[in-house]
Amino acid sequence: TTKVESLGNIVLFNPRMRDVATQQFELENEIRSAAANGQLRLVYQPKVDLNTGTTYGLEALVRWEHPTRGLLQPGMFIAIAERTGTIVDIGKWVLREACKQVLRWHEEFPGEKPLSLSVNLSPREFRRKDLVESIRMTLEETAFPPASLHFELTETALFEDFTTARRTLDALKQLGVGLDLDDFGTGYSSLKYLRELPFDSLKIDRYFVSSLDPKQKSSSELVGAILSMADVLGLDVIAEGIETESHRSTLSLLGCRFGQGYLFAKPLDPQSFRTLLVAEQDSAARSLPQDSQAL
Ligand code: C2E
Ligand code: MG
Ligand code: MG
Ligand code: MG
């Protein structure tokens, strides 16, 4: 039947495959209305200064509270949303929601520097003609400070059409937002890309972080080489997937200043993230000299 053909390469067909296929069809249909039905949630993972351990920013990550399947991770639905185009609506929802939430934290926890917010942009979103205008409108509506917003893009979003990609990235920079290259080292980026595109930072993929092994010199030399290259290109570096104290100390010794990972915190729901901000505020207050008031 046409239904089976439209699945692409399925040649053999057994009941388990049918289950998987049925699930895909169901998710594909259900995700269209997930945003409108209020089923999307955001969790926030702290971005941390590796030397001081303080949270300077956060990455918004989407979850789908499915009515029957429970809380779904992006691995279950981002690719489907990307393929069907629903990612565009999801992305718009994510950006608005994250800007509104983080603005409330800016008000509640005013620091020297407001928390910076990172939002992921998928290739399909990135290629939309109205992307920049849509982001500009959201920034205007929410009054979120563009300097505190970063977009994370993977190399896949860029390599199809270099000239168009550069134009879009330049237009995003014009809005005043930051641009981070996500999952660095796993894709196709060349030095030409890094040199000619207006990125502010690159995120070392967690593959390189997880392979950091104190007994294996080459693993840290590789990360060291990425850091030197970033330095030459004037890019900040954020390490992803820091899970152990040994990862943290090795990265810190190599001169990597920023990172995120389960060692510090998993992605947190808004209440838990707020609790973390309160705790950090309290410990910062305690570390001030006792008589600083009198000065
Ligand atoms: P990503 O942007 O590279 O996000 C990092 C992923 O690594 C997140 O998975 C995060 O939970 C996970 N992670 C963080 N620290 C650790 C660690 O120490 N160890 C391990 N093993 N994993 C860690 P998550 O939330 O499942 O998201 C997966 C991917 O889905 C993201 O990868 C991103 O590409 C995509 N994604 C998530 N939210 C959005 C969104 O709102 N829009 C778009 N377009 N894509 C999103
Ligand atoms: Mg990311
Ligand atoms: Mg990443
Ligand atoms: Mg990733």
Side-chain angles (χ1 to χ4, degrees):
T1 71
T2 45
K3 262 193 171 172
V4 172
E5 278 161 14
S6 74
L7 281 172
N9 300 325
I10 292 178
V11 180
L12 292 168
F13 210 77
N14 66 37
R16 224 196 76 75
M17 282 171 154
R18 192 192 54 222
D19 292 346
V20 172
T22 309
Q23 172 174 311
Q24 293 283 311
F25 276 126
E26 283 174 6
L27 290 179
E28 215 172 288
N29 284 321
E30 293 162 343
I31 200 159
R32 287 180 219 283
S33 47
N37 289 345
Q39 294 167 353
L40 299 179
R41 307 280 176 266
L42 284 182
V43 287
Y44 299 93
Q45 186 176 40
K47 297 175 95 164
V48 172
D49 182 321
L50 298 185
N51 297 329
T52 62
T54 48
T55 299
Y56 69 91
L58 73 185
E59 178 174 3
L61 295 158
V62 71
R63 302 289 182 262
W64 179 11
E65 182 88 58
H66 189 278
T68 57
R69 295 175 205 269
L71 194 69
L72 300 182
Q73 305 291 312
M76 283 291 289
F77 62 90
I78 289 285
I80 297 176
E82 176 83 9
R83 181 155 41 75
T84 57
T86 319
I87 192 69
V88 173
D89 288 336
I90 295 178
K92 286 180 181 168
W93 180 85
V94 166
L95 182 62
R96 286 191 110 259
E97 180 66 19
C99 285
K100 287 194 286 181
Q101 175 62 78
V102 174
L103 259 185
R104 278 181 246 133
W105 287 329
H106 284 176
E107 281 155 21
E108 195 180 354
F109 305 94
E112 299 152 47
K113 231 182 155 196
L115 276 177
S116 93
L117 161 65
S118 299
V119 170
N120 293 284
L121 274 185
S122 76
R124 180 114 178 207
E125 295 171 81
F126 183 71
R127 288 197 292 265
R128 290 274 298 188
K129 290 242 161 24
D130 62 353
L131 172 79
V132 178
E133 179 56 15
S134 158
I135 291 171
R136 196 192 59 72
M137 277 169 58
T138 305
L139 285 169
E140 204 175 281
E141 278 167 38
T142 58
F144 193 87
S148 299
L149 178 62
H150 280 238
F151 286 104
E152 298 190 359
L153 290 127
T154 57
E155 294 150 280
T156 0
L158 307 172
F159 86 114
E160 264 180 37
D161 179 353
F162 183 79
T163 314
T164 313
R166 179 162 57 189
R167 207 176 296 134
T168 307
L169 293 171
D170 286 339
L172 286 171
K173 285 301 295 180
Q174 290 289 315
L175 293 178
V177 303
L179 299 174
D180 301 347
L181 189 56
D182 207 347
D183 303 346
F184 177 76
T186 60
Y188 298 88
S189 54
S190 64
L191 285 171
K192 170 181 150 80
Y193 278 29
L194 286 178
R195 203 168 161 216
E196 294 183 10
L197 298 177
F199 281 101
D200 300 282
S201 340
L202 54 87
K203 298 187 78 176
I204 303 186
D205 192 74
R206 84 166 176 262
Y207 164 79
F208 299 101
V209 174
S210 66
S211 59
L212 280 177
D213 177 354
K215 281 169 291 193
Q216 222 196 340
K217 207 165 137 249
S218 65
S219 65
S220 62
E221 281 175 347
L222 182 55
V223 172
I226 297 175
L227 284 158
S228 315
M229 183 202 64
D231 191 42
V232 171
L233 293 167
L235 298 167
D236 282 332
V237 176
I238 302 152
E240 295 188 311
I242 302 175
E243 294 186 351
T244 66
E245 177 50 34
S246 152
H247 292 160
R248 190 203 65 77
S249 60
T250 307
L251 285 161
S252 215
L253 277 172
L254 290 168
C256 180
R257 174 96 195 273
F258 306 110
Q260 55 191 123
Y262 296 168
L263 175 67
F264 307 106
K266 293 205 165 176
L268 303 168
D269 62 57
Q271 295 86 332
S272 309
F273 195 91
R274 184 182 172 278
T275 305
L276 178 134
L277 292 176
V278 171
E280 285 193 13
Q281 193 179 48
D282 289 352
S283 78
R286 265 198 306 282
S287 64
L288 286 175
Q290 286 296 291
D291 57 353
S292 63
Q293 291 279 306
L295 293 174

